[in-house]
Amino acid sequence: MSPRHSDTGTSLRKGGKAAEDMPEAELDDDEAADEIVAASGPDLPFTAIDWTAHAGDADGMVGAEVIQTLVKRLPNAPGVYRMMNAAGDVLYVGKARSLKKRVTNYAQGRFHTNRIGKMVRETATMEFVVTRTEIEALLLEANLIKRLRPRFNVLMRDDKSFPYIMLTSDHTAPGIYKHRGARSRKGGDYFGPFASAQAVGRTINSLQRAFLLRSCTDSFFDNRTRPCLLFQIKRCAGPCTGEISREGYDELVQEAKDFLSGRSQKVKTEISGQMQQAAEGLDFERAAIYRDRLAALSHVQSHQGINPQTIDEADVFAIHQEGGQTGIQVFFFRTGQNWGNRAYFPKADPSLEAAEVLGSFLAQFYDDKPSPRAILLSHAVEEQELLAEALSTRAGHKVAISVPQRGEKKDIVDHAVQNAREALGRRLAETSTQARLLEGFAQTFGLDKPPVRIEVYDNSHIMGTNAVGGMVVAGPEGFVKNQYRKFNIRSTDITPGDDFGMMREVMTRRFSRLLKEHGGDQPGADEAAMDQDAGIEDTGAFPAWPDVILIDGGQGQMTAVRAMLAELGIEDRVVAIGVAKGQDREAGRERFFVRGKESFSLPVRDPVLYFVQRLRDEAHRFAIGSHRARRKKEMVKNPLDEIGGIGPSRKRALLLAFGTAKAVSRAAVDDLMAVEGISESIARLVYNHFHDNG
């Protein structure tokens, strides 16, 4: 065996304590060690040793035999192990207090479930990471599961970051914004997380009416000469033009911070007092402003639903299992306020208990998110204390995990359980409907079986400019948005507005890359059949190859697509269907084009027709949105960007000196040289660029 030793954030070290402790060891190459550094991530500051078998140690072995061979030299130390098949795909990632004892259990083969038995039989090799503590093993395990997405692990399906409300602190007049992602280096105050962008948007709209804070960009703010429309409709105090003093605006900012920090009653009492004072002074217009601000604050709190008295900062997790699927509902409470909830449907084997699924889900959920001080669960999870200690280590403060038994906290968890049950029920109903639609789709278009992956293509452009191709994907669970792709049309040989040529380019790029990455194979087909025979649910990844491609177009489009598929030798591997708009482009009169059949239409009330229309409309929406984004980017493009050697600093200096790019284009060389930082050679470069093209 040979260890790889790596410290997170540093390059590979030759030697060190690990090598001294194991004199027979040989350190592998830097590239292999860097993989472990990347897997550990910047938030896992611990030392890890990666053990990989020498070539020939378990050559030709598979299943329990290879595990028995590898386990002989494993240490009785905490760590993480990876089980891989002959193709090198990671099947499972697990952690252990003792790697030797845990892996030995797999080799013994007793009391294995169907899932574990199949996993062991497919194992061709294993890799191990030794950590100093079990906490480090737990954190690394969660990180690797999210990164590698092994087939037999519990997997999060939706792992988007959460939006926050941000109050800036780097400007004399702080603004209020929606923020998602890494926190700004410029600082600021962040409040959240919120369950959705819509929840943040509603809250910010109400807070603007309550506290009159600006939401414009700094450049917009700095260039105002009179108040904007938001001031007129009483959603901004107008600090840009001095409609409010700096001190007065600072008071509004502080009130907003107090409200978002949980001191809402204090803020409402102060505003109510100011309203009363204004009314007593017969300043009824000012009193009406305070009245409207109080109404806006009440509106915020009314949309928050449950606002518990005994919970200041906590996340609530509730799990429900039904029909072989799992639903998890998460509620977010911060500063005593409910910031919304979100439903998750992790991919997990039906044989797994709710507690096991929830425990694995929690570790992955907080892998890249800050932990609150309290986590309330509907079910006790395995190694609950270990998980709490691991999250506390990462968060830098104590994190308590508990299962409430009585009182308000128990009521809130019960409410979350009810939401989880209802959300899973809706999902099961939608999945059942989708399954029936896919069966009808297969019957209508003569497919051997219901398709698992449908790809829908559409183009969008204006007279050939900023042309974009869009691809949307649908499957048994509806639209799969993380599989959507856009294609910026690059070819200069295509005549502007040539839809056939654009579609040919999109399809060629899509399937050429698919052939390169997957070799023309339909991955997972044989494995899925074996799983079905063994009574095991397929937990593999969503297939890369489509069963069906839908093209928004008629016979001409289909001719171009079929020619491209024939060139790549895959015309028999993928079913291509054209969807042409009917007479007068009226919905319900679509014509369908399938190879080997005459074009046909479907009855106006056919559910399959509605299904295809929904697929086509989603592709249309996605393509148009991508085109608009590209067009908007082109509209704000500055002519100075096209000049080589003109960086941001020089461009800024020229614009400050002349005002606009058009004025720069009219300037003489001597005038350009008068700008600080512009030499004679740069001035001539700018001058020649505009006049050579003019």
Side-chain angles (χ1 to χ4, degrees):
M1 311 283 288
S2 62
R4 285 202 295 261
H5 185 88
S6 60
D7 283 343
T8 300
T10 64
S11 59
L12 178 69
R13 295 186 311 180
K14 300 277 185 182
K17 188 175 187 302
E20 293 170 3
D21 290 347
M22 292 164 285
E24 78 281 6
E26 233 179 282
L27 288 166
D28 282 353
D29 56 27
D30 289 359
E31 181 181 356
D34 288 343
E35 180 186 348
I36 300 302
V37 173
S40 301
D43 296 328
L44 302 179
F46 58 81
T47 304
I49 308 162
D50 186 43
W51 289 61
T52 306
H54 280 303
D57 277 5
D59 192 23
M61 299 179 185
V62 70
E65 188 179 8
V66 72
I67 297 175
Q68 289 171 350
T69 301
L70 296 178
V71 78
K72 293 176 182 177
R73 299 175 65 185
L74 278 178
N76 279 310
V80 175
Y81 56 92
R82 284 175 278 184
M83 307 173 79
M84 295 175 290
N85 62 16
D89 301 323
V90 179
L91 301 173
Y92 184 77
V93 173
K95 69 160 184 64
R97 182 179 303 171
S98 169
L99 282 172
K100 193 177 191 72
K101 292 180 181 178
R102 175 63 60 83
V103 177
T104 299
N105 291 337
Y106 291 114
Q108 291 174 348
R110 293 178 297 178
F111 312 115
H112 285 342
T113 62
N114 287 343
R115 167 177 162 270
I116 298 298
K118 178 172 174 55
M119 185 174 73
V120 170
R121 289 194 299 273
E122 291 189 21
T123 300
T125 187
M126 295 183 70
E127 291 184 356
F128 308 90
V129 179
V130 179
T131 58
R132 293 181 302 192
T133 67
E134 196 176 359
I135 291 176
E136 294 174 350
L138 187 149
L139 295 173
L140 180 57
E141 177 199 34
N143 185 280
L144 287 174
I145 290 173
K146 289 185 65 175
R147 187 170 70 91
L148 302 175
R149 303 191 65 77
R151 181 181 172 197
F152 288 92
N153 282 98
V154 174
L155 301 177
M156 288 184 66
R157 296 177 189 264
D158 179 14
D159 190 32
K160 292 185 291 187
S161 61
F162 293 109
Y164 286 74
I165 288 178
M166 178 181 69
L167 283 172
T168 57
S169 60
D170 61 335
H171 196 279
T172 54
I176 185 168
Y177 307 97
K178 178 173 66 178
H179 178 84
R180 192 193 291 269
R183 299 196 173 187
S184 172
R185 295 179 180 177
K186 298 179 180 179
D189 296 290
Y190 296 83
F191 303 92
F194 286 77
S196 66
Q198 292 80 8
V200 173
R202 286 195 305 267
T203 304
I204 288 180
N205 286 338
S206 296
L207 291 176
Q208 282 183 287
R209 291 195 294 269
F211 300 110
L212 309 178
L213 302 184
R214 72 178 183 94
S215 58
C216 57
T217 63
D218 290 348
S219 59
F220 185 86
F221 177 94
D222 294 337
N223 289 287
R224 294 300 300 177
T225 56
R226 58 189 178 88
C228 68
L229 180 62
L230 289 178
F231 173 79
Q232 306 296 337
I233 62 176
K234 296 181 174 58
R235 286 182 54 181
C236 179
C240 53
T241 54
E243 307 302 321
I244 185 174
S245 66
R246 179 177 296 184
E247 293 76 14
Y249 190 78
D250 288 343
E251 289 180 8
L252 293 176
V253 172
Q254 188 58 51
E255 288 177 353
K257 288 181 181 179
D258 288 341
F259 181 83
L260 290 169
S261 298
R263 296 183 287 274
S264 56
Q265 193 56 47
K266 171 194 170 187
V267 174
K268 293 174 76 172
T269 300
E270 290 178 352
I271 296 177
S272 179
Q274 291 169 334
M275 179 181 68
Q276 188 67 27
Q277 184 179 357
E280 291 175 354
L282 303 183
D283 190 350
F284 298 115
E285 185 175 349
R286 188 157 165 260
I289 293 175
Y290 289 126
R291 179 203 61 199
D292 294 341
R293 291 180 60 192
L294 280 173
L297 290 181
S298 299
H299 182 73
V300 172
Q301 293 182 313
S302 67
H303 274 72
Q304 291 173 350
I306 304 171
N307 287 304
Q309 302 298 315
T310 59
I311 299 178
D312 181 60
E313 178 182 331
D315 288 345
V316 179
F317 292 81
I319 185 170
H320 179 71
Q321 293 181 312
E322 183 180 341
Q325 296 194 37
T326 300
I328 295 178
Q329 191 77 213
V330 187
F331 279 78
F332 306 99
F333 294 95
R334 295 296 184 273
T335 64
Q337 302 175 74
N338 177 14
W339 290 135
N341 59 295
R342 181 183 291 186
Y344 291 86
F345 304 96
K347 182 175 288 186
D349 191 273
S351 64
L352 295 177
E353 296 292 334
E356 186 175 353
V357 176
L358 184 58
S360 180
F361 178 86
L362 284 172
Q364 295 178 53
F365 184 86
Y366 288 113
D367 177 63
D368 56 357
K369 300 177 182 67
S371 306
R373 298 186 180 276
I375 297 175
L376 307 180
L377 308 179
S378 61
H379 294 65
V381 299
E382 296 179 2
E383 301 176 326
Q384 190 165 296
E385 293 182 2
L386 177 67
L387 180 60
E389 191 175 350
L391 295 180
S392 299
T393 300
R394 165 164 282 174
H397 58 74
K398 181 176 176 57
V399 177
I401 302 178
S402 62
V403 181
Q405 302 299 318
R406 64 182 67 85
E408 185 183 39
K409 293 180 180 179
K410 178 68 164 61
D411 293 339
I412 290 175
V413 171
D414 289 343
H415 178 70
V417 170
Q418 181 182 351
N419 276 264
R421 184 183 300 111
E422 292 174 354
L424 183 58
R426 289 192 297 270
R427 182 178 179 85
L428 289 171
E430 291 169 1
T431 303
S432 176
T433 302
Q434 188 80 355
R436 289 196 297 270
L437 286 172
L438 291 174
E439 289 174 0
F441 184 94
Q443 293 174 3
T444 299
F445 295 103
L447 306 181
D448 295 334
K449 59 182 180 180
V452 177
R453 180 183 178 114
I454 300 176
E455 294 183 355
V456 193
Y457 295 85
D458 193 13
N459 295 328
S460 182
H461 60 90
I462 295 180
M463 301 296 291
T465 62
N466 301 314
V468 175
M471 177 190 85
V472 305
V473 180
E477 296 178 358
F479 291 111
V480 189
K481 295 194 175 183
N482 63 0
Q483 298 285 322
Y484 286 17
R485 297 292 183 270
K486 66 178 180 180
F487 302 84
N488 291 327
I489 304 301
R490 302 170 181 166
S491 177
T492 56
D493 299 331
I494 298 177
T495 304
D498 181 4
D499 282 336
F500 299 164
M502 293 178 192
M503 185 59 69
R504 189 183 305 112
E505 176 182 333
V506 169
M507 302 295 285
T508 301
R509 285 166 56 186
R510 163 63 179 155
F511 285 96
S512 296
R513 180 169 181 174
L514 200 56
L515 283 167
K516 181 180 178 181
E517 294 180 352
H518 297 279
D521 296 327
Q522 179 68 28
D526 295 336
E527 292 179 356
M530 290 172 61
D531 285 349
Q532 190 172 7
D533 293 340
I536 302 171
E537 181 191 25
D538 179 23
T539 57
F542 192 67
W545 273 90
D547 301 304
V548 174
I549 56 175
L550 284 177
I551 309 299
D552 185 16
Q555 189 61 56
Q557 294 275 27
M558 290 306 300
T559 300
V561 169
R562 287 172 185 153
M564 183 279 305
L565 295 176
E567 289 176 8
L568 296 176
I570 56 174
E571 67 273 21
D572 295 327
R573 188 177 295 275
V574 180
V575 176
I577 300 173
V579 185
K581 297 178 179 64
Q583 186 177 359
D584 299 326
R585 303 176 68 88
E586 185 177 344
R589 298 187 177 184
E590 288 84 354
R591 302 289 297 177
F592 296 93
F593 297 84
V594 184
R595 188 175 68 172
K597 293 184 179 181
E598 292 292 329
S599 64
F600 62 93
S601 298
L602 293 175
V604 176
R605 297 187 180 277
D606 192 325
V608 174
L609 176 61
Y610 290 138
F611 178 58
V612 174
Q613 288 174 344
R614 191 155 56 95
L615 295 176
R616 181 198 60 196
D617 292 346
E618 173 67 2
H620 194 55
R621 179 201 66 79
F622 181 67
I624 288 178
S626 301
H627 163 72
R628 286 174 177 167
R630 187 180 182 188
R631 190 175 78 234
K632 183 178 180 180
K633 188 175 180 181
E634 288 291 325
M635 289 174 64
V636 299
K637 190 174 180 181
N638 195 301
L640 297 178
D641 295 334
E642 302 173 3
I643 307 176
I646 302 296
S649 298
R650 285 172 174 160
K651 183 175 73 172
R652 190 181 306 112
L654 288 169
L655 290 175
L656 285 174
F658 295 98
T660 64
K662 189 172 184 179
V664 174
S665 69
R666 295 172 175 172
V669 173
D670 291 341
D671 295 330
L672 293 170
M673 290 174 59
V675 178
E676 184 179 358
I678 304 298
S679 63
E680 182 178 355
S681 60
I682 294 296
R684 293 194 178 279
L685 180 68
V686 174
Y687 182 85
N688 292 336
H689 172 81
F690 287 110
H691 290 77
D692 288 347
N693 292 301

